[in-house]
Amino acid sequence: MKRALIWLAATAALTGCKIHEAEDFDPTREGFYIFREANRCLGETAADATRVLLFDLYYSASEEEREVVHNRYFYSSRIVISDDACHIIDGTSDLIIYTGGQPLSAEGAVWRYAYSSQSCLESEMPTISCRKHETGPDTYDLRLPDGNQQWSVTPFYCNQPQPDGPTRYWCELRINGTGNLSERVYSPDFGTVAYETLEPLKYNSEKRLQFQRGKLKLTATIDHEEVEVDARYVDDDQVVILYGSHGKTYWY
């Protein structure tokens, strides 16, 4: 056994290969790190898009209906509406929505939005517009100039009576999209990550930064080599990562 270990060490020194301890070796870990960064960015984008779509319900409602919508979706928020810029304020967070004085359902309406803490030009803000359908739910086109991200979003407004209390309301999104993510917060240096939805993502507004269903294809570059990751959401907080010829289910 000792002779075999010496031989392995010598082989590694000659070939430049890294020997992993068996209990520490995880061939899918790099793919999971790439997924985790993409999931964080996509989850934040979905959360913001949900707020904007729910705000359209408020903005389009009559004065009497607005109180109902506010209590359902913005109970802890303060909403300020001016001629053009509208604010959803939660503590120190201020989401500004530029409506152009039109609801999203209006023909040709395009909304832009950003947080007051962000320093960005109008051309750098996400935009959202509505594609109305005579049959079936409307869909919304979301564009993020950063990374040329393009989403098609279908919202569903859900409610469920509680056995011992009031009805619970939330919003679900079905998302198809492509684009590039350039942010990095984890240790592996994988540069820009490109993503594509192979199966629509299902997002629940009550579960921030989580998707309950769907499949992503992620492409990144590590050590000048392009790698691909397939990530399938299988349950709350779980994802199946396929990386190279290996697969593993993670909690995230």
Side-chain angles (χ1 to χ4, degrees):
M1 180 66 180
K2 184 176 180 181
R3 182 179 299 173
L5 290 174
I6 294 173
W7 180 83
L8 283 172
T11 303
L14 290 173
T15 62
C17 295
K18 183 177 179 181
I19 299 298
H20 297 269
E21 294 294 335
E23 62 270 21
D24 294 332
F25 178 56
D26 180 354
T28 60
R29 183 179 300 166
E30 229 167 27
F32 175 65
Y33 286 150
I34 294 171
F35 156 78
R36 191 167 62 170
E37 171 69 354
N39 179 77
R40 181 187 68 83
C41 295
L42 296 176
E44 290 177 351
T45 299
D48 291 344
T50 303
R51 297 284 279 173
V52 173
L53 290 170
L54 290 175
F55 178 74
D56 184 49
L57 296 183
Y58 180 91
Y59 190 79
S60 304
S62 65
E63 288 296 332
E64 295 77 14
E65 295 170 328
R66 280 184 174 181
E67 182 178 359
V68 174
V69 176
H70 184 277
N71 291 340
R72 286 180 180 177
Y73 303 112
F74 299 100
Y75 187 77
S76 61
S77 307
R78 182 163 63 93
I79 295 178
V80 179
I81 297 180
S82 64
D83 291 340
D84 185 36
C86 304
H87 299 255
I88 304 175
I89 303 169
D90 295 275
T92 59
S93 172
D94 180 7
L95 178 61
I96 307 174
I97 303 173
Y98 299 92
T99 67
Q102 300 183 90
L104 267 178
S105 57
E107 184 176 354
V110 178
W111 284 11
R112 289 176 170 79
Y113 60 93
Y115 285 93
S116 60
S117 57
Q118 296 173 317
S119 299
C120 56
L121 301 174
E122 183 176 311
S123 60
E124 299 172 336
M125 295 179 186
T127 63
I128 190 167
S129 57
C130 179
R131 278 187 285 136
K132 298 193 72 65
H133 299 284
E134 292 184 4
T135 60
D138 295 338
T139 58
Y140 294 81
D141 294 320
L142 177 64
R143 302 284 183 267
L144 289 84
D146 180 21
N148 191 31
Q149 300 178 64
Q150 303 183 41
W151 287 20
S152 175
V153 178
T154 306
F156 298 89
Y157 303 102
C158 311
N159 65 83
Q160 181 177 342
Q162 301 300 292
D164 56 350
T167 301
R168 180 169 59 94
Y169 295 88
W170 71 96
C171 178
E172 291 182 355
L173 303 183
R174 300 294 189 277
I175 300 167
N176 285 289
T178 60
N180 298 299
L181 306 169
S182 58
E183 296 185 62
R184 293 174 298 182
V185 295
Y186 300 111
S187 55
D189 184 0
F190 41 77
T192 298
V193 176
Y195 69 89
E196 175 187 359
T197 54
L198 300 180
E199 297 174 8
L201 304 182
K202 177 185 175 183
Y203 179 80
N204 185 325
S205 62
E206 293 192 327
K207 299 182 180 294
R208 183 175 172 84
L209 303 188
Q210 294 181 12
F211 295 93
Q212 296 175 305
R213 196 179 303 144
K215 185 177 180 181
L216 287 168
K217 176 184 176 182
L218 306 171
T219 307
T221 302
I222 299 177
D223 295 331
H224 307 291
E225 180 181 351
E226 187 173 273
V227 298
E228 290 187 357
V229 182
D230 278 358
R232 181 188 293 276
Y233 296 92
V234 292
D235 202 352
D236 289 353
D237 300 326
Q238 291 189 67
V239 63
V240 175
I241 297 296
L242 299 179
Y243 186 59
S245 59
H246 301 278
K248 183 176 178 180
T249 301
Y250 287 88
W251 294 91
Y252 69 95

